[in-house]
Amino acid sequence: MIEVSHLSKLYGNFPAVRDLSFRVRPGEILGFLGPNGAGKTTTMRILAGYMPPSGGTCRIGGKDVMDHPLTVKRRIGYLPEQVPLYPELTVEEYLGFIARVRAIPAGERGGALDRIAVRCGLKDVRKKLIGRLSKGYRQRVGIAQALIHSPDVIILDEPTIGLDPAQIREVRELIRSLGEDHTIILSTHILPEVSQICQRVLIINHGRIIAEDTPENLTGRITKRLVCDSLVQGDRDRLAEVLAAAENLPEWEITAAEEPGMWHCTLVLSDGEQRPRLLAALQNGGLAVYEFHRRRVSLEDVFLQLIMEENDGLAAGASGAEMYAADAPDLVADHGDGP
């Protein structure tokens, strides 16, 4: 449904997006991740036809975004990071205006508005001025304008900004249900959200793709390091002595727990078979073990490690001035202050 090939975007001589290539299948929900200034918003703006690329192509439904802009835009629902609202209009007036802009036939507009008001939780505020709504409700109105024409492709840039936990849960369920009939690109900083609703994740940094896979496969990349957490009671020196004497225990750390005489241990094991041996060594050493479990790796752990490794690699090969030059265009791109 979406095909991006060698996409690039320059602001002057600064590359905000660098040779991006990826595909999104029909009905797939793609999580689009990266730190602030990575080029996410720039890429999404190009896909939505908001700005032209400097190089490469974007196709939606087989149509080039730049060669067939009107055809493509009819098939897209786009929620930008800064929601485009008119505060002097009521919710009903605004969505009615969007329905006309989206060329929904006059006889179908009322039904489309009723449907989207219920789906986005706006039924009780239809008659209220947008300017008097809370930030959470304004965000819902922005989502509604992206969905009202039932597009094939939905591009959501930070759709849960400003929502409370209950509203975030509702929007998450909405996005998941939309994935049954739509192709979705979702940009968000709430990484558990991605793990719960996205089939695939694409991570970019400094305008480049650094990882692309399912959430499960990405977390599998760093689970090769078997990290265990334990809670132990006893003498700290004796605990350190047992850990130091353990075979094939490359890393370990002891920190004080809240209760006196209790210690948190972080243990990096060489293999899974080492756990029962280490547990027995602690108990034989006169230490009481209250917890001993493998640490669960989250998508956030993967994200932070990949970004850190990428930044370390760039820093190793560039001076401070060069690193600043590489970062500057991305910050411009994602905050909408480009030339």
Side-chain angles (χ1 to χ4, degrees):
M1 177 58 72
I2 300 175
E3 299 177 61
V4 175
S5 179
H6 302 290
L7 185 68
S8 64
K9 179 64 179 179
L10 300 174
Y11 290 101
N13 294 324
F14 297 123
V17 176
R18 317 178 192 205
D19 197 33
L20 292 189
S21 295
F22 63 91
R23 293 187 177 188
V24 188
R25 298 182 296 273
E28 184 176 28
I29 304 178
L30 176 72
F32 198 44
L33 306 180
N36 289 334
K40 303 185 304 296
T41 293
T42 295
T43 302
M44 299 175 90
R45 287 175 176 175
I46 294 172
L47 282 171
Y50 180 85
M51 63 168 59
S54 300
T57 59
C58 299
R59 295 179 179 273
I60 293 180
K63 300 291 185 180
D64 189 282
V65 171
M66 299 309 299
D67 293 341
H68 306 276
L70 293 180
T71 300
V72 169
K73 287 176 182 178
R74 291 189 186 102
R75 305 186 67 176
I76 292 177
Y78 176 42
L79 175 68
E81 189 174 6
Q82 300 297 324
V83 184
L85 302 176
Y86 296 104
E88 68 276 11
L89 298 182
T90 67
V91 172
E92 190 170 83
E93 289 169 342
Y94 173 72
L95 292 178
F97 164 70
I98 296 296
R100 293 193 298 273
V101 170
R102 288 296 189 177
I104 297 175
E108 300 176 12
R109 290 173 194 162
L113 203 154
D114 291 341
R115 170 183 53 81
I116 207 63
V118 171
R119 195 162 201 184
C120 293
L122 297 169
K123 187 176 180 181
D124 295 334
V125 297
R126 287 178 58 159
K127 302 296 184 180
K128 290 188 177 182
L129 289 174
I130 291 174
R132 295 181 179 177
L133 296 178
S134 67
K135 185 175 182 180
Y137 270 112
R138 291 198 300 271
Q139 193 71 9
R140 290 182 183 217
V141 176
I143 295 173
Q145 65 81 27
L147 302 179
I148 194 168
H149 58 300
S150 299
D152 296 324
V153 173
I154 303 170
I155 300 173
L156 304 173
D157 196 353
E158 299 290 347
T160 55
I161 283 182
L163 303 186
D164 62 39
Q167 292 169 333
I168 289 175
R169 191 180 306 112
E170 292 170 1
V171 171
R172 184 184 299 155
E173 291 302 320
L174 172 61
I175 295 171
R176 185 184 288 112
S177 68
L178 290 171
E180 299 173 0
D181 305 305
H182 307 269
T183 302
I184 300 174
I185 294 182
L186 168 67
S187 172
T188 180
H189 284 96
I190 304 176
L191 298 187
E193 199 166 81
V194 175
S195 299
Q196 293 179 36
I197 65 177
C198 296
Q199 290 99 347
R200 196 158 52 91
V201 177
L202 190 151
I203 301 176
I204 69 171
N205 191 34
H206 298 289
R208 292 184 287 254
I209 295 175
I210 61 172
E212 181 181 0
D213 214 326
T214 64
E216 295 79 10
N217 288 344
L218 284 174
T219 56
R221 291 190 180 192
I222 62 174
T223 54
K224 293 178 182 179
R225 294 177 76 248
L226 183 55
V227 181
C228 290
D229 293 309
S230 64
L231 180 63
V232 179
Q233 183 181 44
D235 181 73
R236 188 192 187 285
D237 292 339
R238 178 57 179 156
L239 173 58
E241 182 181 329
V242 171
L243 295 178
E247 295 182 4
N248 300 321
L249 185 62
E251 298 178 40
W252 52 272
E253 181 181 10
I254 302 172
T255 56
E258 293 182 2
E259 298 181 23
M262 301 287 286
W263 309 97
H264 289 295
C265 299
T266 301
L267 312 167
V268 180
L269 279 58
S270 301
D271 57 70
E273 296 180 358
Q274 191 176 4
R275 282 188 288 177
R277 296 197 301 268
L278 186 56
L279 178 59
L282 291 169
Q283 293 171 332
N284 292 336
L287 301 161
V289 181
Y290 286 82
E291 294 180 11
F292 197 103
H293 57 84
R294 181 173 179 174
R295 181 180 297 176
R296 182 179 178 183
V297 176
S298 69
L299 184 59
E300 182 175 4
D301 296 322
V302 177
F303 176 80
L304 292 174
Q305 179 167 318
L306 289 172
I307 295 299
M308 182 175 63
E309 290 174 354
E310 171 79 2
N311 291 342
D312 288 346
L314 290 173
S319 67
E322 290 170 333
M323 284 294 293
Y324 176 79
D327 287 346
D330 299 344
L331 293 172
V332 168
D334 267 13
H335 292 288
D337 297 324

